[in-house]
């Protein structure tokens, strides 16, 4: 029995011995001996890991993975350097086991993360790179690490929402350029193991110039690259699912900035609770007072600016939050806010999408996708471009009120991400003029309400304003536009406005006493003026577009960007907004027919914000004229191509002629610039450079590593003795002038060079004649 039990052990040992012998017969890979290349590659990987960690903080809780991944990968890279000549078979086995464990952890994380898997994939890639860093003997292995660092940087770029990622991008580029140079030299076998010898061959000045050129070209391409409006993917950014415990009451608005029944609101953030729903009071410093079912416009003060959202959108616009239908003399209310009047919407468990009801409209619309990331706690009201048709949100339920506002079961907390798809209407003044003043009952009953004490005087004032117009508007859309312009031009924003008395009306005070008021008071006044002449209107609150960051592509929205506007109902065309606040556009920014070069235009707007107004005006005028000229030229060519074969021939002839004239102009410019450059040089330098240029035209280019005398000696085999003597004489004179300050006979050298040019041309002509005879 003992002999039989020994036999399997002997057979296993023999098999293991054979496998070991086979491994030993495999030739060892050629290791990479450049220490500087390895250090740069490790730096690239570290930058990629840290960049992913920084960018992840923009959309979720920080990963914190760089805290351990960077030092552990550095230890692994050091191990690889010292063990680069060893086979490291046990280490390879342990790496394989660790990678399988990392894959199992990734699969479990993937199940829990139903939507955005970019961070989960990035974490897996970082873990694999850390394990891989313990086995980097060859240059090919270092190349894999460079690719992983580049992939991590790309992941960070896709999720970054701020400029905190930009320094990491520039640092990666600054490290990547010398790393690529060293990698190329290693492929040619030109690298030394000594760091001093390798670094001596790298010109920091040249690398700096290449870095600046690369960054400049990248920014230019980024700015002018066309942005087409279509989304090719329908998987949108959404936070992880949020489970709401309890009964969802869609009529409740949770705003931490409001005082209600002697206590602060029940929002998720503490807030100061400064806003009161009735009577005089102070504005809350952090939360906009208009996000509530009842707003009090007898509040005074101002908010402290704070970033509350970052939005990536296909078009700028007014991020609408909610609207009000009932005016109470000193503010607004939502009259239909009972739970039975609020529509609750549910989404399926396998999808984040809520399908929202849309109003029937004859207006032309365009689909606009917006992704919102909340950066500061907000009420449970969901901002969106009007009119939303799809909502991708992490809770299982949301609510929609009768004014088109969306509500969440919970307040919008910091870090929340959701996406909205809206059908945004175009503003077509021609179509709107055709709208009649025949309104359905549900519009007449709620959007024409005015306090009795205000009705007659306000109607008379509004009619008098319209009657005094140079061209009296008759269509409701033109009347709304004119009244908004009138308020902007004849009333002022008054930040020191006093409180209203208990029986005092806001609109009456604005028009007849104060001659102005707070910005939102303009919207209230315009809304009531339109109602007084039979045009349905309501007050809408939300956020302005915010500040567009051309580098990240996000609109940065602050709490101070919140304000109120007037929404006007047009029969068959739905609701459109008008802004009467001074300094704002009357027709708020919305979708346009063509926005292919939108980033370039918004990049210019961003730059113009830093320039003085006169400079901005002049540059805008020049750019507009240039754009108009290019557009007219392109339209003219297109019209020629559409006029049959004669038009096509004319267009081709015109293009050919323009191309020839452009070629002549470019050659003339090059020649002038060359002569101008020579004229600025010292006389001896100009003569020598002129000779080099002429020899280069003959096909003999001077290599950068050649000295002037080495170059002259090389040409002795291509020219006869007399010509070679002239070239060497000029080269000798240049060297003596450059390094010995010896002044040569410039007139004699110029004559000798002219002789070289003439005789060389005659020799070339005779050679061509002999070739022709043969």
């Amino acid at each position: 029995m003992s002999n039989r039990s020994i036999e399997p052990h002997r057979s296993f040992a023999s098999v293991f011995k054979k496998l070991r012998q086979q491994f030993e017969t495999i030739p060892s890979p050629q290791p990479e001996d450049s220490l500087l290349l390895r250090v740069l590659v490790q730096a690239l990987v570290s930058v990629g890991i840290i960049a992913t960690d920084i960018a992840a903080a923009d959309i979720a809780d920080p990963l914190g993975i760089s805290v351990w991944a960077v030092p552990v990968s550095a230890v692994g890279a050091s191990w690889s350097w010292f063990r680069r000549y060893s086979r490291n078979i046990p280490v390879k086995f342990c790496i394989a086991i660790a990678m399988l464990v990392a894959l199992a952890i990734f699969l479990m994380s993937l199940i829990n993360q139903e939507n955005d898997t970019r961070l989960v994939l990035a974490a897996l890639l970082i873990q694999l790179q850390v394990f891989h860093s313990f086995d980097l003997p060859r240059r090919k292995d270092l190349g894999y690490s460079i690719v992983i660092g580049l992939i991590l940087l790309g992941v960070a770029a896709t999720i970054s929402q701020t400029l905190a990622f930009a320094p990491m991008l520039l640092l990666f580029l600054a490290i990547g350029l010398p790393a690529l140079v060293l990698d190329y030299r290693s492929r040619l076998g030109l690298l030394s193991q000594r760091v001093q010898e390798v670094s001596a061959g790298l010109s920091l000045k040249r690398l700096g110039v290449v870095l600046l050129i690369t960054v400049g070209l990248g920014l230019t391409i980024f700015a002018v690259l066309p942005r087409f409006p279509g989304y090719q993917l329908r998987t949108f950014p959404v936070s992880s699912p949020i489970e709401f415990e309890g009964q969802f009451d869609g009529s409740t608005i949770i705003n931490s900035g409001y005082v209600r029944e002697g206590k602060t609101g029940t929002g998720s953030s503490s807030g100061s609770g400064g806003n009161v729903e009735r009577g005089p009071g102070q504005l809350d410093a952090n939360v906009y007072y208009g996000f509530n079912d009842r707003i009090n416009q007898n509040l005074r003060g101002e908010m402290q600016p704070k970033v509350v959202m970052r939005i990536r959108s296909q078009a700028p616009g007014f991020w609408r939050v909610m609207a009000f239908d009932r005016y109470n003399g000193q503010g607004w209310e939502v009259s239909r806010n009972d739970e039975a009047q609020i529509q609750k919407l549910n989404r399926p468990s396998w999808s984040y999408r809520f399908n929202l009801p849309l109003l029937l409209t004859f207006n032309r619309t365009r689909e606009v996708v917006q992704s919102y990331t909340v950066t500061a706690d907000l009420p449970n009201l969901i901002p969106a471009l009007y009119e939303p048709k799809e909502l991708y949100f992490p809770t299982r339920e949301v609510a929609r009120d009768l004014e088109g506002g969306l509500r969440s079961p919970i307040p919008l907390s910091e870090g929340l991400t959701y996406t909205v798809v809206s059908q945004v209407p175009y503003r077509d003044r021609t179509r709107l003029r055709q709208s009649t003043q025949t309104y359905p009952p549900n519009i007449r009953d709620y959007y024409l309400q005015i306090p009795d004490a205000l009705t007659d005087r306000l109607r008379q004032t509004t009619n008098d304003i319209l009657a005094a117009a140079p061209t009296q508007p008759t269509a409701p859309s033109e009347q709304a536009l004119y009244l908004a312009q009138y308020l902007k031009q004849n009333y002022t924003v008054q930040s020191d406005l006093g409180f209203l008395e208990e029986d005092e009306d806001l609109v009456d005070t604005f028009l007849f006493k104060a001659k102005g008021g707070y910005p939102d008071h303009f919207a209230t006044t315009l809304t009531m003026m339109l109602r007084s002449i039979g045009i349905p209107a309501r007050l809408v609150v939300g956020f302005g577009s915010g500040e567009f960051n051309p580098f990240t592509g996000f609109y940065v929205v602050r709490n101070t960007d919140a304000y109120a506007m007037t929404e006007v109902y047009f029969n068959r065309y739905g609701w459109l907004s008008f802004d009467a606040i001074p300094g704002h556009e009357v027709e708020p920014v919305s979708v346009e027919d063509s926005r292919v070069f939108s980033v370039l235009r918004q990049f210019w707007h961003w730059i113009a914000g830093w320039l003085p107004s006169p400079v901005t005006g002049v540059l805008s005028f020049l750019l507009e004229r240039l754009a108009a000229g290019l557009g007219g030229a392109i339209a003219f060519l297109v019209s020629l191509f559409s006029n049959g074969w004669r038009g096509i021939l004319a267009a081709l002839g015109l293009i050919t002629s323009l191309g020839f004239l452009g070629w002549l102009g470019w050659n003339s410019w090059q020649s002038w610039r060359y002569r101008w450059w020579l004229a600025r040089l010292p006389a001896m330098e100009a003569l020598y450079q002129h000779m080099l240029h002429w020899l280069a035209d003959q096909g003999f280019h001077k290599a950068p590593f050649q000295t002037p005398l080495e170059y002259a000696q090389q040409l002795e085999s291509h020219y006869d003795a007399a010509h070679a003597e002239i070239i060497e004489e000029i080269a000798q004179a240049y060297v003596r002038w450059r390094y010995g300050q010896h002044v040569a006979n410039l007139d004699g050298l110029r004559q000798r060079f002219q002789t070289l040019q003439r005789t060389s041309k005659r020799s070339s002509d005779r050679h061509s004649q002999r070739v022709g005879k043969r």
Side-chain angles (χ1 to χ4, degrees):
M1 291 293 293
S2 60
N3 292 334
R4 292 180 181 179
S5 62
I6 293 174
E7 287 299 327
H9 292 287
R10 288 179 177 175
S11 60
F12 177 78
S14 62
V15 171
F16 181 77
K17 184 177 181 180
K18 290 181 181 180
L19 287 174
R20 183 174 180 180
Q21 291 174 351
Q22 289 179 359
F23 278 121
E24 290 178 350
T25 58
I26 298 175
S28 300
Q30 181 66 32
E32 176 57 59
D33 290 326
S34 172
L35 178 59
L36 183 58
L37 176 58
R38 288 176 175 271
V39 170
L40 291 177
V41 170
Q42 179 59 31
L44 285 176
V45 173
S46 300
V47 170
I49 296 173
I50 296 173
T52 304
D53 230 355
I54 292 175
D58 291 341
I59 63 171
D61 294 331
L63 294 178
I65 198 169
S66 59
V67 175
W68 67 266
V70 172
V72 174
S73 63
V75 171
S78 302
W79 166 272
S80 296
W81 164 255
F82 290 110
R83 300 282 298 176
R84 64 189 184 280
Y85 291 106
S86 303
R87 293 184 181 276
N88 299 321
I89 294 177
V91 174
K92 295 178 187 291
F93 180 77
C94 293
I95 290 175
I97 297 299
M99 287 184 173
L100 290 176
V101 173
L103 179 61
I105 296 174
F106 162 73
L107 293 176
M108 289 187 292
S109 301
L110 199 61
I111 295 174
N112 297 327
Q113 185 70 26
E114 298 178 0
N115 187 53
D116 194 349
T117 59
R118 291 175 294 180
L119 291 180
V120 180
L121 290 168
L124 173 65
L125 191 60
I126 291 173
Q127 294 164 2
L128 297 181
Q129 169 56 32
V130 171
F131 301 144
H132 176 62
S133 65
F134 285 86
D135 185 32
L136 301 172
R138 301 169 298 176
R139 183 182 64 250
K140 182 186 294 184
D141 299 313
L142 296 175
Y144 294 151
S145 295
I146 294 176
V147 173
I148 290 175
L150 183 62
I151 293 174
L152 290 175
L153 195 76
V155 172
T158 61
I159 63 179
S160 176
Q161 297 183 358
T162 66
L163 285 179
F165 166 74
M168 307 307 299
L169 177 62
L170 294 177
L171 182 59
F172 188 91
L173 185 59
I175 299 173
L177 288 175
L180 292 177
V181 172
L182 294 180
D183 180 76
Y184 179 70
R185 290 184 180 180
S186 176
R187 295 173 188 273
L188 299 179
L190 301 177
L191 278 187
S192 170
Q193 186 174 346
R194 297 181 59 186
V195 176
Q196 293 84 356
E197 296 179 5
V198 176
S199 59
L202 293 176
S203 172
L204 293 180
K205 181 179 179 181
R206 182 176 298 175
L207 289 175
V209 171
V210 174
L211 176 63
L212 291 176
I213 293 175
T214 304
V215 172
L217 287 176
L219 290 176
T220 302
I221 294 173
F222 174 80
V224 303
L225 191 68
R227 264 67 171 182
F228 296 99
Y231 261 59
Q232 303 303 317
L233 300 176
R234 302 300 291 189
T235 302
F236 301 122
V238 185
S239 295
S240 300
I242 298 175
E243 298 298 333
F244 174 71
E245 297 180 359
Q247 183 68 27
F248 174 33
D249 182 1
S251 64
T252 301
I253 296 178
I254 308 172
N255 188 331
S256 62
Y258 261 93
V259 173
R260 184 173 297 178
E261 297 180 359
K263 57 184 179 180
T264 57
T266 57
S268 58
S269 61
S270 59
S272 61
N275 298 325
V276 294
E277 293 185 341
R278 292 183 179 88
Q282 292 296 319
L283 289 172
D284 186 90
N286 298 311
V287 183
Y288 178 62
Y289 79 104
F291 300 152
N292 196 38
D293 58 358
R294 180 184 295 111
I295 64 174
N296 177 13
Q297 293 190 298
N298 200 16
L299 302 177
R300 303 294 180 259
E302 60 183 15
M303 292 189 295
Q304 299 300 319
K306 179 175 65 174
V307 176
V308 294
M309 290 189 300
R310 287 191 293 266
I311 303 171
R312 186 188 294 276
S313 175
Q314 293 175 299
F318 182 72
W319 319 117
R320 186 182 189 272
V321 174
M322 64 182 303
F324 301 86
D325 62 333
R326 180 186 293 167
Y327 174 68
N328 60 21
Q330 295 186 1
W332 290 85
E333 301 172 1
V334 179
S335 65
R336 295 170 291 177
N337 195 45
D338 296 334
E339 187 174 3
Q341 297 172 309
I342 303 297
Q343 181 183 11
K344 289 186 179 180
L345 303 170
N346 295 275
R347 64 169 176 85
S349 58
W350 63 86
S351 173
Y352 286 93
R353 186 175 72 180
F354 292 88
N355 292 311
L356 307 175
L358 289 174
L359 294 177
L360 179 63
T361 177
F362 290 88
N363 209 351
R364 194 163 58 98
T365 62
R366 200 188 87 185
E367 181 181 277
V368 177
V369 180
Q370 321 116 61
S371 294
Y372 298 77
T373 298
V374 180
T375 60
D377 292 347
L378 293 173
N380 64 322
L381 303 170
I382 303 174
L385 280 182
Y386 188 78
E387 177 180 17
K389 71 171 185 176
E390 294 175 10
L391 171 66
Y392 295 79
F393 202 76
T395 61
R396 292 293 300 272
E397 285 184 301
V398 296
R400 182 180 183 274
D401 62 34
L402 293 175
E403 310 300 335
L406 301 175
R407 304 180 184 183
S408 165
I410 59 174
L412 308 187
S413 58
E414 180 181 358
L416 177 72
T417 299
Y418 67 94
T419 298
V420 180
V421 182
S422 302
Q423 287 297 134
V424 181
Y426 287 90
R427 301 184 71 99
D428 190 333
R429 291 183 63 178
T430 303
R431 288 191 175 190
L432 292 179
R433 290 192 190 100
Q434 301 171 1
S435 176
T436 64
Q437 289 190 271
T438 303
Y439 304 111
N442 64 315
I443 297 295
R444 293 196 307 268
D445 293 345
Y446 292 98
Y447 304 109
L448 294 175
Q449 171 264 336
I450 307 176
D452 294 336
L454 183 65
T455 303
D456 295 336
R457 188 179 186 188
L458 182 60
R459 181 185 299 117
Q460 183 62 45
T461 301
T462 304
N463 286 327
D464 291 344
I465 293 172
L466 294 174
T471 303
Q472 187 170 358
T474 56
S477 60
E478 296 302 309
Q479 291 175 336
L481 190 63
Y482 182 80
L483 290 174
Q485 289 280 20
Y486 182 88
L487 292 178
K488 287 166 62 72
Q489 296 172 3
N490 293 276
Y491 294 83
T492 60
V493 175
Q494 300 178 12
S495 57
D496 57 348
L497 185 69
F499 291 107
L500 300 174
E501 298 295 336
E502 184 176 355
D503 58 348
E504 196 172 4
D505 186 89
L506 170 66
V507 175
D508 187 81
T509 301
F510 181 97
L511 288 174
F512 308 114
K513 298 178 183 178
K515 300 296 182 181
Y518 272 39
D520 287 357
H521 298 174
F522 285 80
T524 294
T525 303
L526 176 62
T527 304
M528 301 312 295
M529 292 177 76
L530 291 171
R531 287 186 174 188
S532 70
I533 57 174
I535 299 176
R538 64 187 178 189
L539 190 85
V540 62
V541 293
F543 294 96
S545 295
E547 180 183 0
F548 180 76
N549 188 325
F551 299 103
T552 63
F554 281 84
Y555 294 91
V556 180
V557 180
R558 293 172 172 80
N559 55 349
T560 50
D561 291 323
Y563 64 95
M565 290 194 304
T566 298
E567 278 189 343
V568 183
Y569 181 81
F570 299 101
N571 190 31
R572 302 199 308 167
Y573 298 106
W575 295 92
L576 290 174
S577 55
F578 293 83
D579 192 346
I581 299 175
H584 292 196
E585 295 290 336
V586 176
E587 296 181 344
V589 61
S590 185
V591 293
E592 302 173 8
D593 285 320
S594 177
R595 304 190 73 253
V596 175
F597 295 99
S598 59
V599 172
L600 180 60
R601 181 172 61 253
Q602 295 187 38
F603 189 78
W604 158 246
H605 289 162
W606 180 76
I607 294 176
W610 298 87
L611 298 175
S613 298
V615 177
T616 303
V618 172
L619 292 178
S620 298
F621 174 79
L622 294 177
L623 290 176
E624 288 175 2
R625 288 291 179 268
L626 179 61
L630 290 176
I634 294 174
F636 177 69
L637 287 176
V638 171
S639 65
L640 286 179
F641 277 107
S642 61
N643 285 336
W645 64 270
R646 292 183 179 179
I648 294 175
L649 290 177
L652 293 176
L654 179 60
I655 293 174
T656 303
S657 301
L658 292 175
F660 179 71
L661 292 175
W663 175 76
L664 286 179
W666 175 254
N667 283 342
S668 301
W669 160 254
Q670 291 283 81
S671 177
W672 176 85
R673 192 179 66 169
Y674 173 68
R675 292 194 301 270
W676 177 78
W677 175 68
L678 284 181
R680 298 182 61 192
L681 296 176
M684 188 66 238
E685 175 81 12
L687 177 61
Y688 178 69
Q689 292 295 337
H690 188 33
M691 183 185 74
L692 291 183
H693 186 268
W694 179 79
L695 290 172
D697 288 342
Q698 306 298 314
F700 305 108
H701 295 269
K702 178 182 177 296
F705 59 82
Q706 286 180 314
T707 66
L709 297 182
E710 288 175 344
Y711 179 58
Q713 292 173 1
Q714 176 189 345
L715 295 177
E716 289 179 357
S717 60
H718 299 282
Y719 286 93
D720 56 35
H723 292 164
E725 180 183 356
I726 297 174
I727 295 173
E728 185 174 3
E729 182 181 356
I730 295 176
Q732 289 279 6
Y734 172 72
V735 171
R736 288 194 297 270
W737 169 81
R738 183 66 182 269
Y739 301 103
Q741 300 300 320
H742 177 74
V743 180
N745 182 8
L746 290 174
D747 293 335
L749 290 176
R750 289 192 184 98
Q751 291 178 1
R752 296 275 285 165
F753 179 59
Q754 293 172 1
T755 302
L756 172 65
Q757 290 177 301
R758 290 194 303 270
T759 55
S760 177
K761 185 176 185 304
R762 287 198 295 267
S763 298
S764 177
D765 293 341
R766 288 195 296 269
H767 176 72
S768 299
Q769 292 174 1
R770 286 196 298 270
V771 171
K773 290 179 180 179
R774 291 176 185 175

